[in-house]
Amino acid sequence: MQDANVDLWATDEVHFQQHGSRCRMWIPPEIKDPVLLHAPTRKSVGYFGAVRLRDGRFVFRLETGKFNGPSFLQFLQQLRSASRGTGRRVVVITDNARYHHSRLHRPWREQHAHHFALDFLPAYSPQLNPIERVWKLTRRRCLHIDVLPARLIGDRAYDSDPLDRRLERDYSIELIRPTGRTAIRPKTGASCDDTSDVGVSNGCLPGCSGSGD
């Protein structure tokens, strides 16, 4: 997109499973039908995320509840707050999940449509959403052949969250409070009541700029 008056973002939701993801591996040649044991759990942690296409700025929000109309509205409001100040109109690429079209946040979207609007992808076309590469890279660098501890799942999933720490380390993601002030992540056992579950990265995420993977 070449319009200098528009900031194009791509957004999506993701679940990272508690057990490690599986990829290619070597096996002895005499084994013809290998069996890989997997952790007997369906626990996961969910995130909303958005990446700005012109520079790779990344915004995410931990979702400990469900992906639905109210939680998506909260993320849109936080994304709008994080994307303001450039003087450009914000257009957000998203898929056609039902709660993305929810009547609950339609009045809010119509109210801000002149400077913050959603652009819906064609149905069944996740390959057209650039943020899918961010999720792929996160799984590859943070989750392959790794197991997320049980404390990652639950109401206090952001307390000493190892996945968030890796995102902070690898991508220079900075956790911020809802007011925009920098927040310090609590140590294990510390209270999380004053810590936001919203993150912003001003650095460019590898693989988000449109180059080949």
Side-chain angles (χ1 to χ4, degrees), residues 139-152:
R139 287 189 173 96
R140 179 183 300 171
R141 296 194 59 178
C142 301
L143 300 177
H144 278 179
I145 321 177
D146 204 351
V147 177
L148 302 181
R151 69 171 180 270
L152 178 61

Side-chain angles (χ1 to χ4, degrees), residues 116-138:
F116 185 93
L118 299 185
D119 187 17
F120 294 98
L121 292 169
Y124 308 110
S125 56
Q127 73 280 4
L128 299 180
N129 195 336
I131 201 173
E132 293 291 347
R133 300 189 64 198
V134 180
W135 303 143
K136 179 180 179 181
L137 181 65
T138 301

